[in-house]
Amino acid sequence: MASKKVLIVYAHQSSGSFNSAAKDAAVEVLTAKGCTVEVSDLYAMKFKATATAEDITGKVKNADHFCYGEETKLAWEAGKLTADITEEQRKLTEADLVIFQFPMYWFTVPAIMKGWMDRVLTLGFAFTHEKRYSQGIFKDKKAMLSFTTGSQESMFSANGINGDMNVTLWPLQNGILHYCGFQVLAPQIFWAPSHIPPELRQGWLESWRTRMQGLLGENSLAFTPLDCFDGEKGYQLKPEVHEKHASKEFGLTVGIHLGKALPPNNQMKAGV
């Protein structure tokens, strides 16, 4: 793990929070192991969450019909994105591993972190039509989510009122991280820390510290490779791939489930 670079994108308002403690533990352990760790503390940075024309310096190509994706691609190519975006893109370019540390808000990331994703992961820099998913631009990098929930673990089960956490994680892990090519590590989930005794919270932090000792060597979650889909037919699963799994009990992934039962823990554990 020595000489590896780690970026922690952190979103919490309070330095006294459990998220802050988890972030600090990551910085301490990874630095001790020889990694170079950078932290983007989004609230402290007052990071702009809205994707607007103000993210581009100078004139845009089509002000009357502004298209953020196309305009920021041109601006990225011309070196005309604003300094806050280019600085985050620099950090991401240099990183071998990206950890997103946050409290789950409304089953997803806080708005300020979603703004980081919207503004930093620009077309051209983070993905193109040709370079995405398993053939994505960041296929040599790893990324993971580390977050707290407000609800206990049982509520995020297949029989729980919130629904299966594997389903909740699919848009973030497949639709953002894997879409950009990242090898996605299993998430680190701290279930409802505000509702448990301090000694249990401390135990969770110790488990997180232990996990980080070998984090960069972990296997990533399983996703269906891009070449299993037919680009000339609307990126549908190729018939031969479909036939190969026709007799299987479970679908391929949470999203590409083939009308079958979802593969257990597909978005929460590697190697399943």
Side-chain angles (χ1 to χ4, degrees), residues 29-61:
V29 173
L30 294 171
T31 300
K33 290 191 69 65
C35 294
T36 300
V37 183
E38 284 195 274
V39 178
S40 289
D41 186 340
L42 301 184
Y43 285 107
M45 294 160 61
K46 294 181 169 55
F47 191 82
K48 176 175 171 284
T50 53
T52 66
E54 285 71 39
D55 294 341
I56 299 165
T57 59
K59 293 184 178 180
V60 299
K61 182 180 180 181

Side-chain angles (χ1 to χ4, degrees), residues 186 219-222 264-266 268-272:
N219 292 327
S220 56
L221 299 174
N265 292 315
N266 174 252
M268 293 174 68
K269 292 183 180 179
V272 296

